[in-house]
């Protein structure tokens, strides 16, 4: 994505690189109520204190397994959910607790693309109605009239503008996803949050949509936060990547560093688990790490480092002290006491008795 | 992977071949453990005939894995249901029309009656589905379901069957199998349910295991565990495996041979090595070009296939891929739009169905496509 970088550098504002969105200590707990009085007995700690910023013109990829809180994070920064704690700043303005009315003007600038191209479009509305909804809701009268603008948007995302009067069921999954993209781009947003934008699509269609997102970013100077579980897609689209595990960001860095020298053991395990589409590499699977078991429950996450229950490098300190998201190497943030490819943060700490078992799962 | 088109029409080898050839004909054919010939599965619907599978042939040996790749609607799953004989349900109006043959260990399953196929299912062949929550009965414990599968094919008592169920759960890596055997499917996590289903599928040591998108719903770390498990069990029991998936990474890792399906037909078939390194069909090129790579930095754009997969009611005439094929006009006289290309072999077990000359395709791949990937 070198061309993207140059496009961003050429941008007239010359504001590329400065944070468009800043998230500090963001927390979202979903209460679990029980009993006659619906007393809160526990909470699902979906997002539990994360800090990051999104720079103007970049694509921030967010990866993690199901239940790690990545979608909740997306809904928090678009303010579809009310954060339990922390702050979200958009262009320097605190939007953490803005109400529906307060958010409305901001909705022009922050838009979302959803995963399910079936569920996210109203089946009773025509494509024209769906794509023109943002204009009606915001009271914007586009130049040249609503219909002409909608048709322009449809052709922008590669749909036939004459299909204005068709209903969503008349389109294929890939085309429906394009409708969702046209709707998100209608008001020329600054930030687009895409939650699994291509995971419901077939491989060939997925590539069309990935390229479309890429072209639109270049053309319109968009900033993306792309949430996905597919590490190959994330590698392709992102400039920087955040890896989440159980409601925390465990590693945040640029694409090359993450894929070539991951620091967090979880990132390393995650990357090594992805099947490589190359039959010649099948025999030489050195360093594949098989994590045992499942992700622990976010209701009562493990103490200390949340990954210590599955980590082969875990030591005593990992069970008691939560590692902060620090930068042992400039520009590479990681939350680990014993990072890979970097100096150990707690050398000489006695290993946990169970940790060696996880190491045995590293297949030679 | 040999194909004998002349013997493809009749019931068994013995009836089609002349009497003098019986031993010779029966010999090589029973060599292939599973042989599917010209399989067609057509569903009658109000809108017309849906040709989900339209003339598919392949062979599979014991201990080998065949990866079937294709997009949604290409006929991959229908193929597996037809092999398993699971298409026979439903009323006569909606039941699919099946023709061709599926010869498993010398027995034609298409012609065999439903009761007989039922005795084979589970023991001789078993299936792992994509979604274990809907494939398992929510009302019975996991153990009971595995015990039932075992007792159907073994004349033994419940106690022994339960012991076997615990053993299988342990084998597929479920912690505390003694306790877990009495749990219900909803009490398991996604990865554990998939393991439990694999345990159920393997409880009778089936000789053929069909895994239909077994890891699509799972996270990568769990996917790696499940693929490892399938590989280990295959090594242990020597089963033949059909792995149906849309993920080229999974087939590259698992399959000995790969079959690429498009619009209900096979467009390319060969060893994994051949299909990945010398693909011969423009659709396969499209799949490889569409795939973002985890293993290298890609600065170029993806090369997607234009358009969308065809409707199976109205498959394009000629080559089904022609409306999406960038090379559709290379062969002269518009032949790609009028005549269906035959699946032909190049002499090394690599099959492809394309009107372009093989040399031309090799040139396009090595000069135009491969350098961009």
């Amino acid at each position: 994505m070198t061309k993207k970088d140059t496009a961003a550098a050429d941008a007239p504002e010359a504001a590329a690189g400065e944070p468009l969105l800043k998230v500090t200590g963001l927390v979202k707990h979903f209460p679990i109520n029980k009993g006659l009085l619906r007393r809160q007995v526990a909470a699902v700690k979906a997002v539990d204190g994360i800090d990051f910023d999104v720079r103007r013109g970049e694509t921030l990829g967010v990866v993690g397994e199901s239940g790690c809180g990545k979608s909740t994070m997306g809904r928090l920064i678009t303010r579809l959910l009310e954060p339990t704690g922390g702050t979200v700043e958009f262009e320097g303005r605190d939007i953490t607790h803005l109400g529906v009315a307060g958010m409305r003007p901001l909705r022009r600038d922050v838009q979302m693309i959803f995963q399910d191209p079936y569920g996210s479009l109203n089946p009773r509305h025509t494509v024209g109605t769906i794509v023109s909804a943002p204009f009606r809701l915001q009271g914007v009268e586009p130049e040249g009239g609503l219909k002409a603008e909608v048709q322009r948007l449809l052709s922008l995302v590669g749909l036939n503008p004459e299909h204005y009067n068709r209903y969503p069921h008349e389109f294929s999954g890939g085309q429906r996803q394009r409708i969702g993209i046209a709707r998100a781009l209608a008001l020329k947003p600054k930030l687009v949050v895409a939650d699994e934008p291509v995971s419901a699509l077939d491989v060939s269609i997925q590539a069309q949509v990935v390229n479309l997102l890429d072209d639109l970013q270049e053309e319109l100077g968009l900033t993306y936060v792309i949430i996905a579980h597919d590490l190959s897609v994330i590698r392709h689209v992102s400039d920087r990547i955040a890896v989440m595990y159980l409601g925390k960001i465990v590693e945040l860095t640029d694409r090359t560093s993450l894929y070539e020298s991951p620091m967090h053991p979880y990132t390393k395990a995650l990357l090594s688990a992805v099947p490589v589409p190359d039959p010649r590499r099948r025999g030489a699977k050195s360093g594949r790490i098989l994590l045992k078991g499942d992700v622990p429950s976010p209701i009562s996450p493990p103490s200390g480092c949340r990954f210590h229950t599955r980590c082969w490098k875990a030591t005593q300190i990992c069970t008691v002290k939560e590692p902060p998201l620090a930068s042992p190497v400039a520009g590479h943030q990681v939350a680990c006491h014993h990072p890979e490819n970097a100096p150990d943060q707690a050398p000489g700490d006695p290993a946990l008795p169970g940790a060696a078992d996880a190491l045995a799962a590293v297949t030679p | 992977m040999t194909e004998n088109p002349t013997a493809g029409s009749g019931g068994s080898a013995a009836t089609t071949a002349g009497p003098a050839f019986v031993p010779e004909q029966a010999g090589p054919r029973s060599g292939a453990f599973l042989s599917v010939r010209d399989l067609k599965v057509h569903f009658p619907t109000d809108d017309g005939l849906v040709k989900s599978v339209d003339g598919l042939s392949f062979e599979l040996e014991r201990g080998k894995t065949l990866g079937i790749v294709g997009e949604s609607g290409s006929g991959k799953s229908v193929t597996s249901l037809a092999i398993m004989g699971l298409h026979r349900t439903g009323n006569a109006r909606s039941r699919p029309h099946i023709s061709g043959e599926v010869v498993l260990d010398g027995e034609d399953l298409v012609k065999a009656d439903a009761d007989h196929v039922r005795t084979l299912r589970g023991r001789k062949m078993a299936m792992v589905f994509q979604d274990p929550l809907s494939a398992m009965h929510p009302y019975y414990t996991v153990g009971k379901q595995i015990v039932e599968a075992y007792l159907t094919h073994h004349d033994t008592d419940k106690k022994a069957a339960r012991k076997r169920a615990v053993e299988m759960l342990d084998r597929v890596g479920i912690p505390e199998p003694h306790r877990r055997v009495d749990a219900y499917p909803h009490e398991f996590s996604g990865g554990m349910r998939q393991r439990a289903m694999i345990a159920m599928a393997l409880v009778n040591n089936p000789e053929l295991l069909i895994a239909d998108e077994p890891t699509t719903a799972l996270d990568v770390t769990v996917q790696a565990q499940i693929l490892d498990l399938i590989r280990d069990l295959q090594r242990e029991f020597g089963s033949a495996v059909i792995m149906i998936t849309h993920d080229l990474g999974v087939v590259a890792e698992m399959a000995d041979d790969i079959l690429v399906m498009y619009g209900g037909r096979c467009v390319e078939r060969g060893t994994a090595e051949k299909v990945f390194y010398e693909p011969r069909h423009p659709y396969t090129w499209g799949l490889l070009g569409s795939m973002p790579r985890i293993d290298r930095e890609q600065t170029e754009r993806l090369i997607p296939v234009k358009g969308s997969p065809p409707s199976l009611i109205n498959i394009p005439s000629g080559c089904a891929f022609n409306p999406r094929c960038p090379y559709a006009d290379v062969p002269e006289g518009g032949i790609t739009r009028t005549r269906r290309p035959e699946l032909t072999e190049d002499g090394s077990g690599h099959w492809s169905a394309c009107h372009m000359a093989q040399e031309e395709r090799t040139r396009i791949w090595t000069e135009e496509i491969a350098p961009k990937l």
Side-chain angles (χ1 to χ4, degrees), chain B residues 20-78:
Chain B
F21 293 105
V22 170
E24 287 84 356
Q25 282 286 321
R29 291 205 44 193
S30 60
F33 173 60
L34 172 71
S35 138
V36 172
R37 255 157 227 280
D38 200 27
L39 180 68
K40 290 185 178 158
V41 187
H42 295 174
F43 293 85
T45 69
D46 291 341
D47 298 325
L49 199 60
V50 176
K51 296 177 177 174
S52 292
V53 178
D54 199 23
L56 187 71
S57 305
F58 64 84
E59 265 149 48
L60 178 62
E61 307 289 344
R62 275 175 219 269
K64 293 283 184 191
T65 302
L66 173 74
I68 301 186
V69 200
E71 295 181 90
S72 31
S74 61
K76 337 182 271 292
S77 295
V78 172

Coordinates of all heavy atoms in Angstrom, one line a residue, chain B residues 20-78:
Chain B
A20 N -15.1 -61.5 -20.7 CA -13.7 -61.9 -20.7 C -12.8 -60.9 -19.9 O -11.8 -61.3 -19.4 CB -13.1 -62.0 -22.1
F21 N -13.3 -59.7 -19.8 CA -12.5 -58.7 -19.1 C -12.8 -58.5 -17.6 O -12.2 -57.7 -17.0 CB -12.7 -57.3 -19.8 CG -12.2 -57.4 -21.2 CD1 -13.0 -57.4 -22.3 CD2 -10.8 -57.3 -21.4 CE1 -12.5 -57.5 -23.6 CE2 -10.3 -57.3 -22.7 CZ -11.2 -57.4 -23.8
V22 N -13.7 -59.3 -17.1 CA -14.2 -59.1 -15.8 C -13.1 -58.9 -14.8 O -13.0 -57.9 -14.1 CB -15.2 -60.1 -15.3 CG1 -15.5 -60.0 -13.8 CG2 -16.5 -60.0 -16.1
P23 N -12.1 -59.9 -14.7 CA -11.1 -59.7 -13.6 C -10.3 -58.4 -13.8 O -10.1 -57.7 -12.9 CB -10.2 -60.9 -13.8 CG -11.0 -61.9 -14.7 CD -11.9 -61.0 -15.5
E24 N -9.8 -58.2 -15.1 CA -9.0 -57.0 -15.3 C -9.8 -55.7 -15.0 O -9.2 -54.8 -14.4 CB -8.5 -57.0 -16.8 CG -7.5 -58.0 -17.1 CD -8.1 -59.4 -17.5 OE1 -9.4 -59.5 -17.4 OE2 -7.4 -60.3 -17.8
Q25 N -11.0 -55.7 -15.5 CA -11.8 -54.5 -15.3 C -12.1 -54.2 -13.8 O -12.0 -53.1 -13.3 CB -13.1 -54.6 -16.0 CG -13.0 -54.3 -17.5 CD -12.8 -52.8 -17.8 OE1 -13.4 -52.0 -17.2 NE2 -11.9 -52.5 -18.8
A26 N -12.4 -55.3 -13.1 CA -12.7 -55.2 -11.7 C -11.5 -54.8 -10.9 O -11.5 -54.0 -10.0 CB -13.3 -56.4 -11.2
G27 N -10.3 -55.3 -11.4 CA -9.1 -55.0 -10.6 C -8.7 -53.5 -10.5 O -8.8 -53.0 -9.4
P28 N -8.5 -52.8 -11.6 CA -8.1 -51.4 -11.4 C -9.2 -50.6 -10.8 O -8.9 -49.6 -10.1 CB -7.8 -51.0 -12.9 CG -8.2 -52.1 -13.8 CD -8.4 -53.3 -12.9
R29 N -10.4 -50.9 -11.0 CA -11.5 -50.1 -10.5 C -11.6 -50.2 -9.0 O -11.9 -49.2 -8.3 CB -12.8 -50.4 -11.2 CG -12.7 -49.9 -12.6 CD -14.0 -49.6 -13.2 NE -14.9 -48.9 -12.4 CZ -16.1 -48.7 -12.6 NH1 -16.7 -49.3 -13.7 NH2 -16.9 -48.0 -11.9
S30 N -11.4 -51.4 -8.5 CA -11.5 -51.5 -7.0 C -10.3 -50.9 -6.4 O -10.2 -50.7 -5.2 CB -11.7 -53.0 -6.6 OG -10.6 -53.7 -7.1
G31 N -9.2 -50.6 -7.2 CA -8.0 -50.0 -6.7 C -8.4 -48.6 -6.1 O -7.9 -48.3 -5.1
A32 N -9.2 -47.9 -6.9 CA -9.6 -46.6 -6.3 C -10.7 -46.9 -5.3 O -11.7 -47.6 -5.5 CB -10.2 -45.7 -7.4
F33 N -10.4 -46.4 -4.1 CA -11.3 -46.7 -3.0 C -12.7 -46.0 -3.2 O -13.8 -46.6 -3.1 CB -10.7 -46.2 -1.7 CG -11.6 -46.3 -0.5 CD1 -12.1 -47.5 -0.1 CD2 -12.0 -45.2 0.2 CE1 -13.0 -47.6 1.0 CE2 -12.8 -45.2 1.3 CZ -13.3 -46.5 1.7
L34 N -12.6 -44.8 -3.6 CA -13.9 -44.1 -3.9 C -13.7 -43.6 -5.4 O -12.8 -43.0 -5.7 CB -14.1 -42.9 -3.0 CG -15.3 -41.9 -3.4 CD1 -16.6 -42.6 -3.2 CD2 -15.2 -40.6 -2.6
S35 N -14.8 -43.9 -6.2 CA -14.7 -43.4 -7.5 C -16.0 -42.8 -7.9 O -17.1 -43.5 -7.8 CB -14.3 -44.6 -8.4 OG -15.0 -44.6 -9.6
V36 N -16.0 -41.5 -8.2 CA -17.3 -40.8 -8.6 C -17.2 -40.6 -10.1 O -16.2 -40.1 -10.6 CB -17.4 -39.5 -7.8 CG1 -18.5 -38.7 -8.3 CG2 -17.5 -39.8 -6.3
R37 N -18.3 -41.0 -10.8 CA -18.3 -40.9 -12.2 C -19.5 -40.2 -12.7 O -20.6 -40.6 -12.5 CB -18.3 -42.3 -12.8 CG -17.0 -42.7 -13.4 CD -16.9 -44.2 -13.4 NE -15.7 -44.6 -12.8 CZ -14.5 -44.6 -13.5 NH1 -14.5 -44.2 -14.8 NH2 -13.4 -45.0 -13.0
D38 N -19.2 -39.1 -13.4 CA -20.3 -38.3 -14.1 C -21.5 -38.1 -13.2 O -22.7 -38.3 -13.5 CB -20.7 -39.1 -15.4 CG -21.5 -38.2 -16.3 OD1 -21.2 -37.0 -16.3 OD2 -22.3 -38.6 -17.1
L39 N -21.2 -37.7 -12.0 CA -22.3 -37.5 -11.0 C -23.1 -36.3 -11.3 O -22.5 -35.2 -11.6 CB -21.7 -37.4 -9.6 CG -22.6 -37.1 -8.4 CD1 -23.5 -38.4 -8.2 CD2 -21.9 -36.7 -7.2
K40 N -24.4 -36.4 -11.4 CA -25.3 -35.2 -11.6 C -26.3 -35.2 -10.5 O -26.9 -36.2 -10.2 CB -26.0 -35.4 -12.9 CG -25.0 -35.2 -14.1 CD -25.8 -35.2 -15.4 CE -24.7 -35.0 -16.5 NZ -25.2 -35.5 -17.8
V41 N -26.5 -34.0 -9.9 CA -27.5 -33.8 -8.9 C -28.3 -32.6 -9.3 O -27.8 -31.5 -9.3 CB -26.9 -33.6 -7.5 CG1 -28.0 -33.6 -6.5 CG2 -25.9 -34.7 -7.1
H42 N -29.5 -32.8 -9.8 CA -30.4 -31.7 -10.2 C -31.6 -31.6 -9.4 O -32.3 -32.6 -9.1 CB -30.8 -32.0 -11.7 CG -29.7 -32.0 -12.7 ND1 -29.9 -32.3 -14.0 CD2 -28.4 -31.7 -12.5 CE1 -28.7 -32.2 -14.6 NE2 -27.8 -31.9 -13.7
F43 N -31.8 -30.4 -8.9 CA -33.0 -30.2 -8.0 C -34.1 -29.5 -8.8 O -33.9 -28.4 -9.3 CB -32.6 -29.3 -6.8 CG -31.7 -29.9 -5.8 CD1 -30.3 -29.8 -6.1 CD2 -32.1 -30.5 -4.7 CE1 -29.4 -30.3 -5.2 CE2 -31.2 -31.0 -3.8 CZ -29.9 -30.9 -4.0
P44 N -35.3 -30.2 -8.8 CA -36.4 -29.5 -9.5 C -37.0 -28.4 -8.6 O -37.2 -28.6 -7.4 CB -37.4 -30.6 -9.7 CG -37.1 -31.6 -8.7 CD -35.7 -31.5 -8.3
T45 N -37.1 -27.2 -9.1 CA -37.7 -26.1 -8.3 C -38.7 -25.4 -9.2 O -38.8 -25.7 -10.4 CB -36.7 -25.0 -7.9 OG1 -36.2 -24.3 -9.0 CG2 -35.5 -25.6 -7.2
D46 N -39.5 -24.5 -8.6 CA -40.5 -23.8 -9.3 C -39.9 -22.9 -10.4 O -40.6 -22.6 -11.4 CB -41.4 -22.9 -8.4 CG -42.2 -23.8 -7.4 OD1 -42.4 -25.0 -7.8 OD2 -42.6 -23.3 -6.4
D47 N -38.7 -22.5 -10.2 CA -38.1 -21.6 -11.2 C -37.3 -22.4 -12.3 O -36.8 -21.8 -13.2 CB -37.1 -20.7 -10.5 CG -37.8 -19.8 -9.4 OD1 -38.9 -19.4 -9.7 OD2 -37.2 -19.5 -8.4
G48 N -37.2 -23.7 -12.1 CA -36.5 -24.4 -13.1 C -35.6 -25.4 -12.4 O -35.6 -25.6 -11.2
L49 N -34.8 -26.2 -13.2 CA -34.0 -27.2 -12.7 C -32.7 -26.6 -12.2 O -32.0 -25.9 -13.0 CB -33.7 -28.2 -13.8 CG -33.2 -29.6 -13.4 CD1 -34.2 -30.3 -12.6 CD2 -33.0 -30.4 -14.7
V50 N -32.3 -26.8 -11.0 CA -31.1 -26.3 -10.4 C -30.0 -27.4 -10.6 O -30.1 -28.4 -9.9 CB -31.2 -25.9 -8.9 CG1 -29.9 -25.5 -8.4 CG2 -32.2 -24.8 -8.8
K51 N -29.1 -27.1 -11.4 CA -28.0 -28.2 -11.7 C -26.9 -28.0 -10.7 O -25.8 -27.4 -11.1 CB -27.6 -28.1 -13.1 CG -28.7 -28.4 -14.1 CD -28.2 -28.3 -15.5 CE -29.4 -28.7 -16.5 NZ -29.0 -28.4 -17.9
S52 N -27.1 -28.4 -9.5 CA -26.1 -28.2 -8.5 C -24.7 -28.9 -8.8 O -23.7 -28.3 -8.6 CB -26.5 -28.7 -7.1 OG -27.6 -27.9 -6.7
V53 N -24.9 -30.1 -9.2 CA -23.7 -30.9 -9.6 C -24.0 -31.4 -11.0 O -25.1 -32.0 -11.2 CB -23.3 -32.0 -8.7 CG1 -22.1 -32.8 -9.2 CG2 -23.1 -31.5 -7.3
D54 N -23.1 -31.2 -12.0 CA -23.5 -31.5 -13.4 C -22.3 -32.2 -14.1 O -21.6 -31.6 -14.9 CB -23.8 -30.2 -14.1 CG -24.7 -30.4 -15.3 OD1 -25.3 -31.5 -15.4 OD2 -24.7 -29.6 -16.2
G55 N -22.2 -33.5 -13.7 CA -21.1 -34.2 -14.4 C -19.8 -34.1 -13.7 O -18.9 -33.6 -14.2
L56 N -19.7 -34.7 -12.5 CA -18.4 -34.6 -11.7 C -17.8 -36.0 -11.6 O -18.5 -37.0 -11.4 CB -18.8 -34.1 -10.3 CG -17.6 -33.8 -9.4 CD1 -16.9 -32.5 -10.0 CD2 -18.0 -33.6 -8.0
S57 N -16.5 -36.1 -11.9 CA -15.8 -37.4 -11.8 C -14.5 -37.2 -11.0 O -13.8 -36.2 -11.2 CB -15.5 -37.9 -13.1 OG -16.6 -38.0 -13.9
F58 N -14.3 -38.1 -10.1 CA -13.0 -38.1 -9.4 C -12.8 -39.4 -8.7 O -13.7 -40.2 -8.6 CB -12.8 -36.9 -8.4 CG -13.8 -36.9 -7.2 CD1 -13.5 -37.7 -6.1 CD2 -15.0 -36.2 -7.3 CE1 -14.3 -37.7 -5.0 CE2 -15.8 -36.2 -6.2 CZ -15.5 -37.0 -5.1
E59 N -11.5 -39.6 -8.3 CA -11.2 -40.8 -7.6 C -10.4 -40.5 -6.4 O -9.7 -39.5 -6.3 CB -10.4 -41.8 -8.5 CG -11.3 -42.8 -9.2 CD -10.7 -43.1 -10.5 OE1 -9.5 -43.4 -10.6 OE2 -11.5 -43.1 -11.5
L60 N -10.5 -41.3 -5.4 CA -9.8 -41.1 -4.1 C -9.3 -42.4 -3.6 O -10.0 -43.4 -3.5 CB -10.7 -40.4 -3.1 CG -10.2 -40.1 -1.8 CD1 -9.0 -39.1 -1.8 CD2 -11.3 -39.4 -0.9
E61 N -8.0 -42.4 -3.2 CA -7.4 -43.7 -2.6 C -7.5 -43.6 -1.1 O -7.6 -42.5 -0.5 CB -6.0 -43.8 -3.0 CG -5.7 -43.7 -4.5 CD -6.1 -44.9 -5.2 OE1 -6.4 -45.9 -4.6 OE2 -6.2 -44.8 -6.5
R62 N -7.4 -44.8 -0.5 CA -7.3 -44.8 1.0 C -6.1 -44.1 1.5 O -5.0 -44.1 0.8 CB -7.1 -46.3 1.4 CG -8.4 -47.1 1.6 CD -8.0 -48.5 1.9 NE -8.9 -49.4 1.2 CZ -10.1 -49.8 1.7 NH1 -10.4 -49.5 2.9 NH2 -10.8 -50.6 1.0
G63 N -6.2 -43.4 2.6 CA -5.1 -42.7 3.2 C -4.8 -41.4 2.6 O -3.9 -40.7 3.0
K64 N -5.5 -41.0 1.5 CA -5.3 -39.8 0.8 C -6.3 -38.7 1.1 O -7.5 -39.1 1.6 CB -5.3 -40.0 -0.7 CG -4.1 -40.8 -1.2 CD -2.8 -40.1 -1.2 CE -1.7 -40.9 -1.8 NZ -0.4 -40.3 -1.6
T65 N -6.0 -37.5 0.9 CA -7.0 -36.4 1.2 C -7.2 -35.7 -0.1 O -6.3 -35.3 -0.8 CB -6.4 -35.4 2.2 OG1 -6.2 -36.1 3.4 CG2 -7.4 -34.3 2.5
L66 N -8.5 -35.5 -0.5 CA -8.9 -34.7 -1.6 C -9.5 -33.4 -1.1 O -10.4 -33.4 -0.3 CB -9.9 -35.5 -2.5 CG -10.5 -34.7 -3.6 CD1 -9.5 -34.5 -4.8 CD2 -11.8 -35.4 -4.2
G67 N -9.0 -32.3 -1.6 CA -9.6 -31.0 -1.2 C -10.5 -30.6 -2.3 O -10.1 -30.5 -3.5
I68 N -11.7 -30.3 -2.0 CA -12.7 -29.7 -3.0 C -12.8 -28.2 -2.7 O -13.3 -27.9 -1.6 CB -14.0 -30.5 -3.0 CG1 -13.8 -31.9 -3.3 CG2 -14.9 -29.8 -4.1 CD1 -15.1 -32.7 -3.5
V69 N -12.4 -27.4 -3.7 CA -12.5 -26.0 -3.5 C -13.5 -25.3 -4.4 O -13.6 -25.8 -5.5 CB -11.1 -25.3 -3.8 CG1 -11.0 -24.0 -3.2 CG2 -10.0 -26.2 -3.4
G70 N -14.1 -24.3 -4.0 CA -15.1 -23.6 -4.8 C -15.8 -22.6 -4.0 O -15.8 -22.6 -2.8
E71 N -16.5 -21.7 -4.7 CA -17.3 -20.7 -4.0 C -18.6 -21.2 -3.6 O -19.0 -22.3 -4.0 CB -17.4 -19.4 -4.9 CG -16.0 -18.8 -5.2 CD -16.1 -17.6 -6.1 OE1 -16.3 -16.5 -5.5 OE2 -16.1 -17.8 -7.3
S72 N -19.4 -20.4 -2.9 CA -20.7 -20.8 -2.5 C -21.5 -21.1 -3.8 O -21.5 -20.3 -4.7 CB -21.4 -19.9 -1.6 OG -21.1 -18.6 -1.9
G73 N -22.3 -22.2 -3.8 CA -23.1 -22.5 -4.9 C -22.4 -23.2 -6.0 O -22.9 -23.4 -7.1
S74 N -21.1 -23.6 -5.8 CA -20.4 -24.3 -6.8 C -20.7 -25.8 -6.8 O -20.3 -26.6 -7.7 CB -18.9 -24.1 -6.7 OG -18.4 -24.6 -5.5
G75 N -21.4 -26.3 -5.8 CA -21.8 -27.7 -5.8 C -21.0 -28.6 -4.9 O -21.1 -29.8 -4.8
K76 N -20.1 -28.0 -4.1 CA -19.2 -28.8 -3.2 C -20.0 -29.6 -2.2 O -19.8 -30.8 -2.0 CB -18.2 -27.9 -2.4 CG -17.8 -26.6 -3.0 CD -16.8 -25.9 -2.2 CE -17.3 -25.1 -1.0 NZ -18.0 -23.9 -1.4
S77 N -20.9 -28.9 -1.5 CA -21.6 -29.6 -0.4 C -22.6 -30.6 -0.9 O -22.8 -31.6 -0.3 CB -22.3 -28.6 0.5 OG -21.4 -27.8 1.1
V78 N -23.2 -30.2 -2.0 CA -24.2 -31.2 -2.6 C -23.5 -32.5 -3.0 O -24.0 -33.6 -2.9 CB -24.9 -30.5 -3.8 CG1 -25.8 -31.5 -4.5 CG2 -25.8 -29.3 -3.3

